[in-house]
Amino acid sequence: MSTAIAPETPTEFDPTLVALTVEEAARRLGIGRTTMYALIRTGEVPSIPIGRLRRVPAEALPEYIRRRMQESGFVPTTAA
């Protein structure tokens, strides 16, 4: 009897990636693929072409979240 190794699930987070697929970027933000493409199309989230592929720089996602927080007036609470 052989033991099979389970393939990586698409929801695993790999912090070493510097460029994400559109689907990976959408998953990290918790949004749909179509919404992610809309954010890219409007320029809210930058993307770069690599060959025939489209990739989202990993650091673009925290920057996008920070910008959205500032725009919404979000004030983080400080730990006591």
Side-chain angles (χ1 to χ4, degrees):
M1 186 181 232
S2 66
T3 309
I5 297 175
E8 289 186 21
T9 61
T11 58
E12 285 188 31
F13 178 78
D14 184 353
T16 63
L17 293 177
V18 296
L20 309 170
T21 66
V22 173
E23 290 79 9
E24 289 168 333
R27 202 168 30 251
R28 286 192 184 184
L29 289 178
I31 61 175
R33 184 177 64 98
T34 304
T35 303
M36 189 73 228
Y37 274 109
L39 292 173
I40 290 169
R41 188 174 47 256
T42 61
E44 291 182 72
V45 174
S47 69
I48 56 171
I50 299 178
R52 292 173 34 181
L53 306 172
R54 174 75 37 197
R55 294 293 184 255
V56 176
E59 69 267 9
L61 301 180
E63 291 171 11
Y64 170 73
I65 294 297
R66 270 192 296 281
R67 233 180 10 260
R68 290 300 306 244
M69 288 170 58
Q70 288 174 342
E71 291 168 3
S72 70
F74 177 79
V75 180
T77 58
T78 56

